[in-house]
């Protein structure tokens, strides 16, 4: 969905490096989410935010941090990347009126 | 959220109706049935949701049994672009946190 963009789309990094994944949305939604997907598996929630002042941990927040810079921007950071964080990362926004989530195209992260 | 059970994979001929089943026998009265799909590593896409009545939109139809313990997503005229993993999710409407994605059903549309 072009209304939710993620940068970069692909990233290769080394163990121990700090890396930031960015998400921007033009849908005007208050709620934003970061998910991780490992090959062949479903999505796991990392962090979610209901508004600029609200940040909540998801199922697998260890090793990750987030920043909600504005209603439209939600960034995910890996402070010290490790190989088992190699995965596909998705950002999503939520439309409360219909309780549906809109996902970005994903960032493929490889940690060597 | 109630647990859902879906077949791991299904095949459907192009142009035919694809019927994807989902079992949710422990569903509560205030839980809705949602369907999303994920096309080859793209972000998941919302398809449809419903409480107890059958629902239809431009993408699909959702048939929920009277006891609400199971449902079927129907893609009326499947095309190759419908090849994807389909997720059946049960959750309370307006629940304010995560969507729990299971393993879903991998639907193969055969030419």
């Amino acid at each position: 969905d072009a209304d939710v963009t993620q940068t970069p789309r692909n990233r290769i990094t080394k163990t121990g490096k700090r890396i930031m994944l960015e998400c921007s949305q033009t849908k005007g939604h208050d709620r934003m989410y970061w998910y991780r997907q490992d090959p062949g598996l479903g999505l796991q929630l990392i962090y979610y935010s209901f508004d600029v002042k609200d940040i909540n941990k998801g199922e697998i927040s260890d090793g990750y941090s987030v920043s909600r810079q504005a209603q439209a921007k939600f960034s995910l950071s890996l402070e010290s990347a490790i190989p088992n964080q190699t995965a596909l990362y998705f950002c999503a926004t939520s439309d409360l009126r219909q309780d549906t989530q809109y996902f970005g195209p994903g960032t493929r992260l490889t940690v060597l | 959220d109630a647990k859902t059970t879906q077949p791991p994979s299904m095949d459907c001929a192009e142009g035919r109706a694809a019927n994807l089943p989902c079992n949710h026998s422990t569903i509560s009265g205030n839980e809705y049935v949602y369907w999303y799909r994920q096309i080859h590593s793209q972000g998941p896409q919302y398809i449809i949701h419903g409480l107890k009545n059958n629902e239809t939109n431009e993408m699909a139809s959702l048939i929920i049994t009277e006891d609400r313990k199971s449902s079927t997503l129907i893609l009326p005229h499947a095309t190759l672009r419908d090849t994807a993993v389909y997720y059946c999710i049960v959750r309370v409407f307006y629940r304010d946190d995560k969507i729990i994605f299971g393993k879903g059903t991998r639907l193969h549309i055969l030419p």
Side-chain angles (χ1 to χ4, degrees), chain B residues 6 20 36-37 47 73 75 82 84-88 104-105 107:
Chain B
Q6 299 177 253
L20 292 92
Y36 283 74
R37 74 180 181 182
I47 300 173
L73 177 75
L75 308 177
D82 292 321
V85 177
Y86 288 77
Y87 297 97
C88 170
T105 296
L107 177 66

Side-chain angles (χ1 to χ4, degrees), chain A residues 5 19 33 47 52 58 76 79 82 86 88 96 101:
Chain A
T5 58
I19 184 168
Y33 307 79
Y47 272 95
V52 175
L76 175 72
E79 298 301 325
I82 57 177
T86 293
L88 195 52
L96 265 188
Q101 292 193 8

Side-chain angles (χ1 to χ4, degrees), chain B residues 14 23 28 37 42 91 97 106:
Chain B
E14 188 176 19
N23 181 283
S28 302
R37 74 180 181 182
Q42 296 179 19
R91 63 190 253 118
D97 53 7
R106 185 171 296 277

Side-chain angles (χ1 to χ4, degrees), chain A residues 31 33 35 37 40-43 45 48 50 59 88 90 96-105 108, chain B residues 34 36 38 41-46 49 87 91-103 106:
Chain A
R31 299 185 172 188
Y33 307 79
Y35 289 88
Q37 185 173 36
L41 301 180
L43 281 75
L45 184 66
Y48 58 104
F50 291 163
E59 306 169 88
L88 195 52
F90 291 105
L96 265 188
R97 293 172 301 167
Q98 296 187 35
D99 195 31
T100 56
Q101 292 193 8
Y102 298 87
F103 286 78
R108 187 172 298 279
Chain B
Y34 292 79
Y36 283 74
Q38 185 175 22
S41 297
Q42 296 179 19
Q45 177 188 24
Y46 165 79
H49 73 278
Y87 297 97
R91 63 190 253 118
V92 176
F93 195 62
Y94 283 144
R95 177 163 175 160
D96 57 2
D97 53 7
K98 60 190 177 187
I99 292 177
I100 299 175
F101 287 86
K103 295 188 176 180
R106 185 171 296 277

Side-chain angles (χ1 to χ4, degrees), chain B residues 27-99:
Chain B
I27 192 170
S28 302
N30 62 345
E31 289 181 315
Y32 283 65
V33 180
Y34 292 79
W35 284 84
Y36 283 74
R37 74 180 181 182
Q38 185 175 22
I39 298 172
H40 187 54
S41 297
Q42 296 179 19
Q45 177 188 24
Y46 165 79
I47 300 173
I48 198 168
H49 73 278
L51 180 63
K52 55 183 178 181
N53 297 318
N54 298 338
E55 302 287 345
T56 295
N57 63 20
E58 65 279 3
M59 290 183 67
S61 295
L62 173 60
I63 308 298
I64 302 174
T65 58
E66 190 169 347
D67 64 8
R68 303 209 322 122
K69 292 184 177 182
S70 65
S71 61
T72 301
L73 177 75
I74 301 173
L75 308 177
H77 303 287
T79 71
L80 296 177
R81 288 175 293 181
D82 292 321
T83 294
V85 177
Y86 288 77
Y87 297 97
C88 170
I89 297 155
V90 169
R91 63 190 253 118
V92 176
F93 195 62
Y94 283 144
R95 177 163 175 160
D96 57 2
D97 53 7
K98 60 190 177 187
I99 292 177

